[in-house]
Amino acid sequence: MPSLIPVANSHAAAPRVDLSGANLLRFVAVLAVIYSHISFYLVDDRGTEWWLLDVVHRSLVEIGGLNKHLSFFGVGIFMMMTGLLITRSAIRHGSGHFLLNRLGRILPAFWVAIFAAIILVRLGINGMFSGQDGISNVEAALSFVLGGFFLKPEVAVLGVTWTLAVQVLFYFSCVAGRPLLRTMPIAMPLAGAAVCSLILLYNLYVPQPYTVPMLSKIAATMPALFLGQILYLAWSRLANGWWIVAALIAQVEVIRLATDFRVYWAGDRYLWTFFVVTACVVLIGKYDGPMNRWAVVRWTAQRSYAIYLVHTLVLYQVFNRTVDYLGSTGAVIAFLIVCALVSEALYRWVEVPGTRWVSARAERMRERSKLAKEGSSARAKEAVPARTKEGTPARAKEGVSAPVKDGAPALAKEGAPAPRVASNHVLVRRPSGSSLR
């Protein structure tokens, strides 16, 4: 099991992996997530049909073997990309710098989206994404820190943000496991698989009052992040082939365990879905063709987080208010237009300024840390006596100082520096290598 080069912020310790198809991957993931929620809403809630749903169901569900509504396909791509891209950052940067960057990038837009969701529920425009008719002040406050998902029963004012709970937990696990990532990196996904299995077993066998259902959902989703991490370790050659295979098998067993315990929420095809997601990340991630530079692909990829946050806030109201006039296809198009406008506003006025603000402070933190290290190194050098080529302290070669005269030591040699004294007694230096008992 290889060890990383133990040098902070070393490019050699955490090689960069080229993911030239990242924009196209995000574009595919956004389309899959939007399709999934449209399909859930039209089929399960309204009981209506739409021609595009029939085409996708026949091609990708019946023939392709994916979950109904393409459940987890888009989310899986986002999660796997997170594990692939974040691992390098966790290795290279200190814990504070890493967390400030990661949390600072997601929290401003998340808080604005949560605030908007609470207002829409309080005004009676939108409903809850869980069984409650409304949301209390305490539940609203907990929603800003993802706490509503851990209540029993669950309180979700903006249902899609459960994935952020998974991502944030992965960030903190990277911080906790940073020593492993910098010495034996493959140990982290192996340990992660063990912890996820224990969580699933805990919720299965403990009495119902003591279970935390959200933890099972997180444990069943974490394999996507760890698979992304394994891909990074394989591509960057930070782990050898046999350990990569062992880590992959460990994640497969977690997925099988979650499937057997019926933790997943849309069927039993999740192992195959994980496989397809992994194949897409590997193949599309290395793609460097013209589609990556299409304007619609770049625009969607840059705003993927904003789209992810707001699309369910506007989907149902826009569709319901336009379907009688425009039909299902027209209503979906109207939803996409409104979603694009709201996402652009969130991206331009919240996400980008928030990211710049956080990046500036992270850079200041890094500079302060660098200056502190340089100052500490300089002080350490000053404390070390100058040595001659033979390795003996310089003053020791100048001879023994003469007796003290009139309260000040006379110099042994003309022009030689005065020896150090303490309480009018000459400070005698011991030969190099001696010790004090």
Side-chain angles (χ1 to χ4, degrees), residues 2-17 83-95 97-99 102 170-171 173-186 188-189 229-230 232-234 236-239:
S3 297
L4 297 184
I5 299 173
V7 179
N9 296 333
S10 170
H11 291 277
R16 182 183 296 277
V17 171
L84 200 160
L85 297 173
I86 294 304
T87 299
R88 179 175 184 265
S89 177
I91 293 172
R92 293 186 64 242
H93 298 124
S95 300
H97 181 85
F98 171 76
L99 285 178
R102 299 272 49 90
F170 180 73
Y171 297 158
S173 68
C174 284
V175 170
R178 189 167 182 265
L180 285 179
L181 285 175
R182 291 179 62 83
T183 54
M184 297 181 294
I186 198 64
M188 182 171 175
Q229 187 171 78
I230 293 168
Y232 171 77
L233 297 179
S236 60
R237 299 183 179 181
L238 293 180

Side-chain angles (χ1 to χ4, degrees), residues 40 65-68 70-73 75-76 162 220-221 227 255-256 258-259 262-277:
F40 270 116
L66 297 177
N67 292 315
K68 186 180 179 181
L70 300 188
S71 177
F72 195 76
F73 179 70
V75 170
W162 71 267
T221 307
L227 285 170
I255 298 166
R256 287 164 54 88
T259 303
R262 300 196 178 280
V263 176
Y264 295 119
W265 50 95
D268 56 0
R269 300 179 179 178
Y270 277 83
L271 183 57
W272 174 248
T273 299
F274 272 94
F275 175 80
V276 175
V277 167

Side-chain angles (χ1 to χ4, degrees), residues 308-346:
Y308 191 74
L309 287 174
V310 306
H311 74 279
T312 54
L313 291 180
V314 300
L315 167 60
Y316 312 114
Q317 286 296 324
V318 172
F319 188 92
N320 287 336
R321 293 177 184 275
T322 59
V323 65
D324 293 337
Y325 306 99
L326 304 175
S328 294
T329 301
V332 169
I333 293 174
F335 150 68
L336 294 176
I337 293 172
V338 174
C339 181
L341 294 174
V342 177
S343 300
E344 178 68 24
L346 184 65

